[in-house]
Amino acid sequence: HSGVWWWERRRSMVLDASLAAVSAAECGAEGVKFAWEAGLPVAVGVVFGVLAGAVLLLRRRWPIAVVLVAIAITPAEMGFLLSVVGLYTLAASEVPRRITGVLAAMSVAGLLIVTFLRMHHEMNANTGHAEVWLVSLVAVLMSLGITGPPVLLGLYVGARRRLVESLRERAAGLERELSLLADRAEERAEWARGEERTRIARDMHDVVAHRVSLMVVHAAALEAVAVKDPDKAVRNAALVGDMGRQALTELREMLGVLRSDAIAPGDASAAASSSAAAARPGRSHGAAVAVEEENGGPCLDDLEELIGESRAAGMRVELTVDGERGSYAPQVEQTLYRVVQEALTNVHKHAPGASATVRLAHREGGEVAVLVVNGPSEVGSRNAGLPSGGNGLIGMKERVAGLGGGFVSGPTDEGGFRVSAVLQGAPQAL
């Protein structure tokens, strides 16, 4: 908008200027009679009336001053428009209600006194007798009739204006909140996409890397014995084929579950809401093993088969089990299985020819621990040449920490490497 001085809009300025002009003309005309009755020059009365009426131009800036001027010129019987518009503006403004009430009462009292005295004088002059009760009744009705309607209308308009402003502020606040919620939903969706990418990468590593690593080891062995021992080469070739088919089967099952869990575009908001709940510590592991749970993932009973695959690849692996097995949550068994799998995969990658020991301990209180220790690589053994992204141990640590357990890995004094994990039978929220 383009405002001028205290007017927010030009049309408001034009309206006030028009009202002030009409009020000045009215008071100027009434000033003639006032000057004649007061014995003053007519010009004085006209100028006084014009100046008093023109005060209405200030009604939006100083409504109290306008009403006070209207009350002050009441004895001169001028300023009807000034009084009515001034009282309306005062009641509709942000002036405290007690001040509005006091000024309205002063206006009523002024009009009451002036009307009573004027009518009493005129009745005595015309009839020689004035009924006090009649004069009083007419004076009261006129004073209330002139003062009451503009005050009540102003109070109504002011209350309505404040209500509209409050609704606008509330709408603006809701719009800001919706904008913040949309931004947060977008952040949660972005976080969820990042978590999904991390989860898929970790599951792909867990499911495929181990078997592919064994395939590479068997392929290297096949290359070494192809000429010297054809029968062993055939067996190794069969093992490579079996492991490749198993890797493809596991990959196909995992991708199939991912497709069945795919979220339709219309459900994006629900995914963002659920991702906010998963953002709390201790929930990331649940997302990471969702595919395994639906696919009936590996458990501790599958450790013998897992170790057997490494033995078939030429690794010397010893498995020991301590304590009596308890009842563990599926995600706990899956996590321990993946820890052993990753540890053995790392032995194939980084310590070819080394022996390894896998120890599974069932402890009191439902705690279960696994320890994988390998010795140094045999001197002169051929390196398998397997690539390593350095993410296997990080993924295992995330899985174990997500269930509230402890994970430790590092080299041993003998030149080997150790990996250990401890979990409760039921996953613990952090």
Side-chain angles (χ1 to χ4, degrees), residues 4 134 153 183 188 212 228 256 280 298 310 371:
V4 178
L134 180 61
L153 180 61
D183 293 341
R188 289 195 295 266
V212 172
K228 299 179 181 178
R280 294 186 295 271
S310 294
L371 172 66

Side-chain angles (χ1 to χ4, degrees), residues 217-263:
V217 172
H218 281 292
L222 176 62
E223 181 182 359
V225 302
V227 178
K228 299 179 181 178
D229 193 345
D231 293 336
K232 187 174 182 181
V234 170
R235 290 194 298 272
N236 286 343
L239 286 174
V240 171
D242 290 340
M243 290 181 182
R245 284 187 290 271
Q246 290 175 3
L248 288 175
T249 300
E250 291 183 1
L251 181 61
R252 187 181 300 112
E253 290 175 350
M254 184 182 70
L255 294 178
V257 173
L258 287 175
R259 291 192 186 97
S260 67
D261 289 344
I263 300 174

